[in-house]
Amino acid sequence: MSDVSAALGVRLYPDLVEPGGLAPALAQTATAHQLDVGQVTAPEQGRGRFTSAELTSPRGVVCVHLGSQARYFMIDLRVDGEVEARGDATDLLQVAQVAAAWRAGTTVTDLTARFPFMEQMRRHPVTQAG
């Protein structure tokens, strides 16, 4: 069994093995559907190079990780290190569509309306000690 097969779990993600993991499969999906997701990167070492992907844009970072017990893609939209929205998609095309919409300037409110599996994260103000 190859490193990529072992890391991904062939039973859950057989379609990600041939491209070499999540990041290359996500880039291929975006290209096939003419979606602009920008550059897709992954960690250089360890299991994460097959199971994680980051899509960076001037608006922030879309972080994607694989579910380990069931097939799903965990998505975080991060701005300045804070998670603005998060969700779980069941299809890689949905991940590419979220990333493309975010990159194109879709607001978090519009994005969560368009993709019901995404949820805007509520922030709580930090009180300053007087």
Side-chain angles (χ1 to χ4, degrees), residues 40-127:
V40 183
T41 61
E44 291 184 19
Q45 297 180 3
R47 179 180 160 87
R49 69 180 187 234
F50 306 119
T51 62
S52 301
E54 285 192 358
L55 304 92
T56 304
S57 76
R59 299 189 65 206
V61 180
V62 178
C63 299
V64 185
H65 302 282
L66 300 179
S68 61
Q69 302 300 315
R71 182 186 170 94
Y72 63 95
F73 303 93
M74 298 172 283
I75 307 166
D76 281 355
L77 301 180
R78 297 181 186 173
V79 177
D80 297 327
E82 296 285 330
V83 177
E84 296 287 322
R86 98 174 356 142
D88 297 334
T90 57
D91 187 305
L92 197 55
L93 177 56
Q94 293 171 315
V95 177
Q97 290 168 332
V98 167
W102 179 249
R103 184 172 175 79
T106 302
T107 66
V108 172
T109 301
D110 289 345
L111 191 130
T112 55
R114 181 174 165 194
F115 302 101
F117 56 87
M118 294 296 294
E119 176 184 3
Q120 184 170 0
M121 302 308 294
R122 303 287 178 216
R123 292 192 182 170
H124 301 287
V126 176
T127 56

Side-chain angles (χ1 to χ4, degrees), residues 28-37 100:
Q28 286 178 4
T29 298
T31 299
H33 293 276
Q34 300 179 348
L35 297 168
D36 179 10
V37 297

